Amino acid sequence: MSAGPYNYSYIFKYIIIGDMGVGKSCLLHQFTEKKFMADCPHTIGVEFGTRIIEVSGQKIKLQIWDTAGQERFRAVTRSYYRGAAGALMVYDITRRSTYNHLSSWLTDTRNLTNPSTVIFLIGNKCDLEAQRDVTYEEASKFAEENGLLFVEASAKTGDNVEEAFLETAKKIYQSIQDGRLDLNAAESGVQHKPSQPGRNNLSNDQQANKDNCAC
Amino acid sequence: MLASHQDVFNIVQAKFLAAEVVKSIHLNVSVVDGPSINSDRILALVEYNKSCALFVLISSRSQPISFSDLSIETVIPIDPNFSCETEPGAGQHYVILIIKYKQSRFQYNIEIGKDSCNFAAELIKSKEGSSNTNPNNNTWLEKYFGTMNNSNRNSDPVDQGELVVIRDGMVQGQTAINRESMLKYQLKLKEPEFTQKQEFSIFVGTWNVNGQPPTVSLRSWLSWDENPPDVYAVGLQEIDLSKEAFFFNDTPREAEWQKFVMDGLHPNAKYRLVALARLVGIQLAVMVNNQHYRYVKNVSFDTRGTGLLGMGNKGGVAVRLELHNTSLCFVNCHLAAHVEEFERRNQDYKDIDTRINFRKSPHEIKDHDQIYWLGDLNYRITDLNTSQVKTLLQRSEMNTLLKVDQLNQQKERGRVLVNYIEGDITFPPTYKFDLNSDTYDTSEKARPPAWTDRILWRGRGIHQVSYRSHMDIKMSDHKPVSSLFMSEISVVDPSKYRKVHEDLLKKMDKHENEFLPQVTVDQAEVTFELVKFREPQFKEIIIANTGVVPAEFEFIKKLDESSYCKDWLTIMPFCGSINPGEKCDVKLEVNLETDLETLYDILVLHLKGGKDMFITVNGHCQKSCITQTLSSLVRIQVPIMHLSKEELASALNNQGPIYYSVPRELWLLVDHLYRHGLRTRDLFESCALHEELIRIRDWLDFGSKDQIPGTPQAVAETFLLFLSYTKEPIIPFDLQDSCVAAANNFENCRQLILQKLNDIHRTAFLYICMFLQELLKYSNDNGYDAKTVASLFGDILLRDPIRNSKPQASRGKTNFVYNFLMNDLSSSLIPK
Ligand SMILES: Nc1nc2c(ncn2[C@@H]2O[C@H](COP(=O)(O)OP(=O)(O)OP(=O)(O)O)[C@@H](O)[C@H]2O)c(=O)[nH]1
Ligand SMILES: [Mg+2]
């Protein structure tokens, strides 16, 4: 009887950033609803999604903030970086400009989050191989040079979407285990919650054991 | 369909962090002396950063499909406190692994397979590697102690560290539903979508052995049918009538009888014991055909003594299990004896039925999909004596007898085994025989024969194939009874199950996201038409709650900003709550009081516990002479709106020639008042109509051949506005403190004006003061005295950096201005 997913132990805050139209909202939607939104309107604001996942037997609630990519909102969306435990930085493999802007997104992320924030680079729309404008190799090199995790994914087919979100969580969780991430720091982006029902189970079982012994 | 070792390995690894490497696993492990002997444990050897631990995992299904099927039962660090050894197990295929950790001892029955060697080698390797590691290296394990499914009796080998708890203030919109039980429930509802019915043969047998030790083969009872059954439930009563058995609930007969039972099972199949439960002399064994063993899970049992002190010479034992996706419960009971005690039997039944509790879901007998109730129920035949019964039996009038069978009677009256079904009885009463014979009781008591031994069932999809007694087993005063059932078991189709499971999870995640507050705003961009000085405009946005929970909204500050909107904007209301399906009109009011080219702001509309929406506010502004600097205005010869872009730009940058000593607009206003307003009573106190002020503003900004529109009072008010909204006050902010300090002495004030104020501001200041001196000459008509005027203009000429809605007269500022109202200013115009 593991604790139900509502009885999560941690909350991780994620942000999704990147140029407009790269598919941030579609990635979030794919992750939370396992569906693709073919005509997704521009995000004007910051969308919010949650999902509970399991890492190492721990239930973790992901709180995901999908930001508006339009340049004019850049100043405002900067407010949302604070306290993110994970940052998914997205570009569109069919539009080189979105890749070229990564360094500026990365600068913002580095400036506005804390050093233990896990940054995951996602080359989205990998289903559109024919229109590819950015090679896997160069992006991979960029990721490596900057110490980022990297996958190419498709919000349309769902390829690697789950992986990107889960790997980020694993990495964050690893940081907690290693003590690199201080849970007490207000800006860690991680909150720990006790798993109350687990305790109840424990006492029930002790009860059960006692009974078993008696007969 | 069988998952390979590698598949399970991958599933086990998924249970851990990537850095926590699963080195080796062992399947088909059971806990020695555990409540069930189900081999649903998996041992996993996991290494993290050179520190190893042994994990005992329980799989909720015989073949884990995903890592969420696994729960962690025990975590044993492999450090110098760890030791292990093996002992031969039951039969040549088993070995017992004994693990000691400090005071704790764990024993596992391991079915030896081809991976066992690997596992043992890895285990020993990590044990050797651990001798030079620090036992405190186990911090990575702490998290797992919290998740431990503590169903064994071993205490945690390591103290549990409490993790820091941070309260969750961020997330709302959560519902307190227990997701797991919800999932289970939903899965049950969808069962037909991922299962198919498959018939399993279930053999149920019951026999009261009258305290005899086993001596004869049970084949003719247990292997009666041609084909080997899939499941056996064999219930015995009175296996031991000794006092020892009664008081200590311990008897060697258990093992003896169980051996005979096992040996008696159908020779054409191999069987494995699922559970063996016993209460004194009441014993119940459930076996399944080997090939089904892996589909058995959630095995549990309970016993309940009834009768005298509830100690168990009478009572019941029950075993439950899940076979594939169907829950089965077998109850073996021995109810109170004696003909007249049928009420007691009813009561015993009720006690067993309601008080047996398996301590895991489903807890009670009644909650199972299929229930098989067997045993020596001990109901007799009423109202007939022994010879009458025997006569009827000889005449084969069984039906007459069955009508007076107490069980049938009590059942009909709803007193016992309600909703249970019993097949037609076609065999003679199974009690009471002389030992080793087929003769009914010839002793002195000569009890009338009775159908004491019965098998009933309840639940869907159960079809009785046969119901019979076995006369050739004669060693007891009872004959064994058995029934063969063909029962529908729902068998999970793993791929369909995965899909349904996933869909449900998806739905539930979606559900949670649906419980987030949701609103729409009818416009993401609000554009104001040409915005003019002090001419407020309104726009409305409509926030509609499209979600399912009340939405609390609030406009929030952006990073590094002091307010949630710019000072030219007012939002009403700036926070509120909207119920699902309802709307809220939010009024945006823009009021321009500064010199801006355009209006631009991004408002952040925040939903508590939900998303944020950005609302962009735009607008173009119209220039006005009001809100400019004096130094720009003196460079402008014509109404401000007549300037070309370039001319305006250069003037605003204080470039180009200075045309006037005081701004043209200031002169126009003062000149008008000079000519038309000096005698106007309460000149500065009027509240002119808003339109009047706008007309005068436009007259100044656009120019006109006509007279200045409006009453002297309106012009006077425009004059005050003009002075109040110049980009800098007439006496600049940085000079104001010195002015207040000098206020008691006119000469000091004069020096300040001469030396510190620039020419343009000084000229304007003195120009205004001279006009006010002129005004005071008409005190009789206009009603003003110097103090009042000084106080009024002190606050305007030396206005505060932050605009107060109710300016408080400052004595210092008043005194400063007063000096310039009371003294001759002609000398001040020329620097000394
Ligand atoms: N073929 C393909 N199209 C995609 C994929 N992901 C997103 N799109 C499409 O790309 C467009 C933009 O996707 P969005 O998710 O709205 O992009 P965004 O990054 O959220 O954009 P902003 O909200 O403006 O920042 C949509 O029309 C999507 O249908 C993908 O993986 N493959
Ligand atoms: Mg978007």
Side-chain angles (χ1 to χ4, degrees), chain B residues 341-355:
Chain B
E341 292 282 14
F342 60 88
E343 299 274 10
R344 278 286 306 280
R345 290 189 269 282
N346 293 348
Q347 188 53 49
D348 285 356
Y349 158 77
K350 276 194 195 105
D351 282 354
I352 296 165
D353 186 42
T354 54
R355 292 169 64 193

Side-chain angles (χ1 to χ4, degrees), chain B residues 159-171:
Chain B
D159 296 336
Q160 257 178 258
E162 273 291 336
L163 276 157
V164 187
V165 175
I166 299 174
R167 282 213 61 78
D168 164 30
M170 274 152 74
V171 200

Side-chain angles (χ1 to χ4, degrees), chain A residues 6 8 46 61 80 173 178, chain B residues 48 143 174 179 512 612:
Chain A
Y6 273 94
Y8 46 86
V46 176
K61 180 172 188 135
Y80 293 86
Y173 193 62
D178 299 349
Chain B
Y48 170 75
K143 61 180 179 281
Q174 292 166 15
R179 194 169 138 121
E512 187 177 354
D612 289 4

Side-chain angles (χ1 to χ4, degrees), chain A residues 1-8 10-11 13 31-35 43-52 54-59 61 63 65 68 72-73 75-80 82 112 167 169-171 173-174 177-178 183-185 188 190-195 197-199 201-202 204-209 211-213 215, chain B residues 13-20 35 48 67-68 70-72 139-141 143-144 146-153 160 162-171 174-175 177-180 249 301-303 359-360 502 506 508-513 516 518 524-525 556-559 600 602 604 606 609-616:
Chain A
M1 271 173 280
S2 50
Y6 273 94
N7 316 312
Y8 46 86
Y10 292 95
I11 303 171
K13 174 181 168 179
F31 180 65
T32 57
E33 319 249 321
K34 303 208 172 58
K35 273 195 216 123
T43 305
I44 300 173
V46 176
E47 291 286 338
F48 180 81
T50 79
R51 207 183 116 182
I52 292 154
E54 198 182 309
V55 171
S56 296
Q58 294 283 329
K59 296 274 163 35
K61 180 172 188 135
Q63 261 189 358
W65 299 86
R72 62 194 177 109
F73 295 129
V76 189
T77 50
R78 286 197 178 103
S79 319
Y80 293 86
R82 215 180 125 226
L112 296 164
E167 281 307 311
K170 282 195 173 181
K171 194 84 187 287
Y173 193 62
Q174 187 77 66
Q177 297 307 305
D178 299 349
L183 283 189
N184 294 323
S188 69
V190 172
Q191 297 175 59
H192 190 256
K193 288 200 80 185
S195 195
R199 298 228 172 105
N201 281 344
L202 200 68
N204 280 347
D205 286 339
Q206 279 163 354
Q207 187 68 37
N209 289 338
D211 280 6
N212 278 346
C213 299
C215 59
Chain B
Q13 176 65 69
K15 187 86 186 159
F16 297 92
L17 291 178
E20 295 167 0
Y48 170 75
F67 65 87
S68 58
L70 300 174
S71 54
I72 296 170
T139 45
W140 66 284
L141 292 175
K143 61 180 179 281
Y144 293 109
T147 66
M148 245 161 64
N149 171 349
N150 198 347
S151 63
N152 62 25
R153 293 173 209 181
Q160 257 178 258
E162 273 291 336
L163 276 157
V164 187
V165 175
I166 299 174
R167 282 213 61 78
D168 164 30
M170 274 152 74
V171 200
Q174 292 166 15
T175 40
I177 324 157
N178 182 327
R179 194 169 138 121
E180 209 124 288
N249 191 25
F301 69 86
D302 192 25
T303 63
R359 295 183 198 88
K360 53 174 156 180
E502 199 168 273
K506 230 189 289 180
M508 286 168 67
D509 279 336
K510 202 174 146 214
H511 205 62
E512 187 177 354
N513 285 313
L516 293 174
Q518 288 295 350
E525 198 150 350
I556 57 167
K557 278 194 288 196
K558 295 181 283 286
L559 202 65
Y600 182 72
I602 296 173
V604 181
H606 171 69
K611 65 179 179 180
D612 289 4
M613 277 157 292
F614 297 161
I615 298 164
T616 309

Side-chain angles (χ1 to χ4, degrees), chain B residues 529-547:
Chain B
E529 289 90 54
L530 200 56
V531 180
K532 301 170 186 175
F533 175 75
R534 293 263 289 184
E535 202 175 326
Q537 282 185 34
F538 299 94
K539 291 274 172 191
E540 233 168 39
I541 55 172
I542 301 165
I543 307 176
N545 186 342
T546 53

